[in-house]
Amino acid sequence: MPRPIRATIFPAALRHNLNVARRCAPQSRVWSIIKANAYGHGIERVFAGLRGTDGFGLLDLDEAVRLRELGWEGPILLLEGFFKPEDIALITQYRLTTTVHCEEQLRMLEQARPAGPLSIQLKMNTGMNRLGFRPEQYRAAWERARAMPWIGSIVHMMHFSDADGERGIAHQVQAFDATVVNLPGEASLSNSAATLWHPAAHRHWVRPGIMLYGASPTGIAADVAQFDLQPAMSLTSEIIGVQQLAPGDTVGYGSRFTADTAMRIGVVACGYADGYPRHAPGWGDTFTPVLVDGTRTRMVGRVSMDMLAVDLTPCPSAGVGTPVTLWGEGLSIDEVAAASGTIGYELMCAVAPRVPVSVADGD
Ligand SMILES: *Cc1c(COP(=O)(O)O)cnc(C)c1O
């Protein structure tokens, strides 16, 4: 038998969450973002659940090719565009939509003279200061793109830095609208946070990522509770050992956790080499939540490479072989992330290659 740890992907949850995005932005078409191998879920594994989308957004040419090989005929958007002139031939061959965010990409397109028509999304930097033309350079970039006969449609694109936070989006939307005024073309602005919370930014296309996987853009599960997002992944394992502790006994490396009463702990086949965060706390004031046979309990001690320990006080009948949910139905990945000082995005992307992944049955 292999170790009992496994990740399970739920196509029905992906389909449900895509519908939530559609209900939030009923007038918009949806680019489902599947970069980073679909946020760690696997492009091949999420395809069935998300094929009702209008397009897929990702980063790597080889991911785009994998998507075409799965039979996807619709739009595919390269979120960072291309990196070398030779990429342009593949973009036309596979009918990809490319982001154009810098002078160098415009020049490569001018020199490549590909057989068009090429669809592009011209990216404006309205304050994120990652990719894009500054507003004062944007119209000139748009004129250059429009002058190339091999460029077909040009969508105006930008990305928010604070759609999930206090600063909000008004300053960026204002800069965007003032810059594109009177220019023809559709617009694409909204990540998950803006899709959920900023209807004024929905426009022609939205670009949700994290919400499709059932987690919160803020990293706080309660912030999306009202939207009924469902987890698209669970990470589960089993108890493989039990220890009876006396008061004063400690658990694991560094003896971080000390029992103050007699208690039972279960040792779970899951460690940081499986992608579980080593910073998950199991002592002091904060404990990381874990489900043992559906009952909520806490992780105790330090996470080690292959194992972690859980308090069995609330689950007296648990023993070797009892199922454990590290995250999934009943325990949001955001709760585990928040305890560990990170966000669900990072945990789902970090599930290790050694963890077997299966796709749940059903529609
Ligand atoms: C990753 C990404 C998104 C999706 O962001 P989420 O916060 O996961 O919804 C949208 N647009 C761009 C340009 C991105 O890089």
Side-chain angles (χ1 to χ4, degrees):
M1 284 291 280
R3 294 169 71 233
I5 188 163
R6 95 177 27 255
T8 308
I9 308 301
F10 298 92
L14 291 157
R15 196 172 302 119
H16 169 87
N17 297 338
L18 174 60
N19 284 332
V20 174
R22 287 207 186 278
R23 276 205 301 282
C24 288
Q27 313 294 338
S28 309
R29 276 164 286 156
V30 178
W31 290 113
S32 292
I33 305 302
I34 55 166
K35 62 193 180 190
N37 199 26
Y39 290 48
H41 294 60
I43 287 181
E44 287 76 7
R45 296 185 201 103
V46 302
F47 179 61
L50 295 178
R51 67 182 312 159
T53 189
D54 299 298
F56 286 101
L58 42 69
L59 295 181
D60 290 309
L61 271 168
D62 75 301
E63 290 184 333
V65 171
R66 274 160 62 198
L67 199 51
R68 286 283 181 246
E69 284 166 357
L70 288 170
W72 175 251
E73 303 274 353
I76 300 177
L77 170 62
L78 297 173
L79 292 164
E80 292 178 348
F82 51 91
F83 308 96
K84 292 283 181 290
E86 53 269 31
D87 298 339
I88 296 171
L90 286 170
I91 287 173
T92 41
Q93 182 186 342
Y94 287 95
R95 294 172 290 107
L96 309 180
T97 301
T98 178
T99 299
V100 174
H101 63 77
C102 64
E103 169 68 28
E104 290 76 6
Q105 287 178 330
L106 274 179
R107 202 173 318 130
M108 284 188 256
L109 283 172
E110 283 165 345
Q111 288 168 359
R113 310 178 67 84
L118 206 75
S119 297
I120 71 165
Q121 304 227 347
L122 194 64
K123 190 160 190 183
M124 192 190 308
N125 168 20
T126 57
M128 176 76 168
N129 284 312
R130 209 169 54 175
L131 299 180
F133 297 93
R134 296 184 65 84
E136 59 273 21
Q137 306 164 327
Y138 186 82
R139 290 181 79 100
W142 185 84
E143 294 291 354
R144 268 176 75 183
R146 199 183 56 159
M148 291 183 234
W150 46 89
I151 290 185
S153 79
I154 307 176
V155 172
H156 307 292
M157 178 189 187
M158 56 148 287
H159 194 53
F160 291 122
S161 57
D162 293 74
D164 59 335
E166 223 167 85
R167 190 176 181 199
I169 65 166
H171 61 296
Q172 287 187 267
V173 172
Q174 204 170 24
F176 178 83
D177 285 341
T179 305
V180 302
V181 66
N182 297 331
L183 291 182
E186 297 182 336
S188 167
L189 284 68
S190 292
N191 54 7
S192 295
T195 302
L196 292 166
W197 294 307
H198 298 290
H202 289 166
R203 311 295 169 96
H204 304 84
W205 289 89
V206 292
R207 304 191 306 268
I210 194 72
M211 67 178 290
L212 301 177
Y213 306 98
S216 172
T218 59
I220 298 167
D223 290 346
V224 293
Q226 76 199 85
F227 294 100
D228 184 36
L229 298 172
Q230 295 172 5
M233 176 200 286
S234 67
L235 183 68
T236 56
S237 188
E238 289 177 9
I239 292 175
I240 60 169
V242 172
Q243 299 294 338
Q244 177 67 49
L245 305 185
D249 283 353
T250 62
V251 177
Y253 288 119
S255 301
R256 288 301 170 114
F257 176 82
T258 305
D260 51 14
T261 56
M263 64 185 283
R264 283 170 82 236
I265 60 165
V267 175
V268 181
C270 174
Y272 62 77
D274 299 302
Y276 196 86
R278 186 177 167 279
H279 291 107
W283 65 90
D285 301 330
T286 325
F287 287 85
T288 312
V290 180
L291 300 182
V292 174
D293 211 8
T295 299
R296 197 170 269 251
T297 181
R298 56 181 186 160
M299 217 261 299
V300 291
R302 247 187 196 155
V303 176
S304 55
M305 185 182 286
D306 310 306
M307 285 172 268
L308 56 79
V310 295
D311 181 355
L312 295 182
T313 310
C315 7
S317 57
V320 170
T322 299
V324 173
T325 298
L326 287 318
W327 59 70
E329 186 64 44
L331 175 56
S332 165
I333 193 170
D334 288 320
E335 292 183 74
V336 179
S340 314
T342 184
I343 49 180
Y345 295 76
E346 187 178 19
L347 297 191
M348 53 181 76
C349 290
V351 173
R354 81 175 189 185
V355 175
V357 186
S358 53
V359 177
D361 294 340
D363 60 335

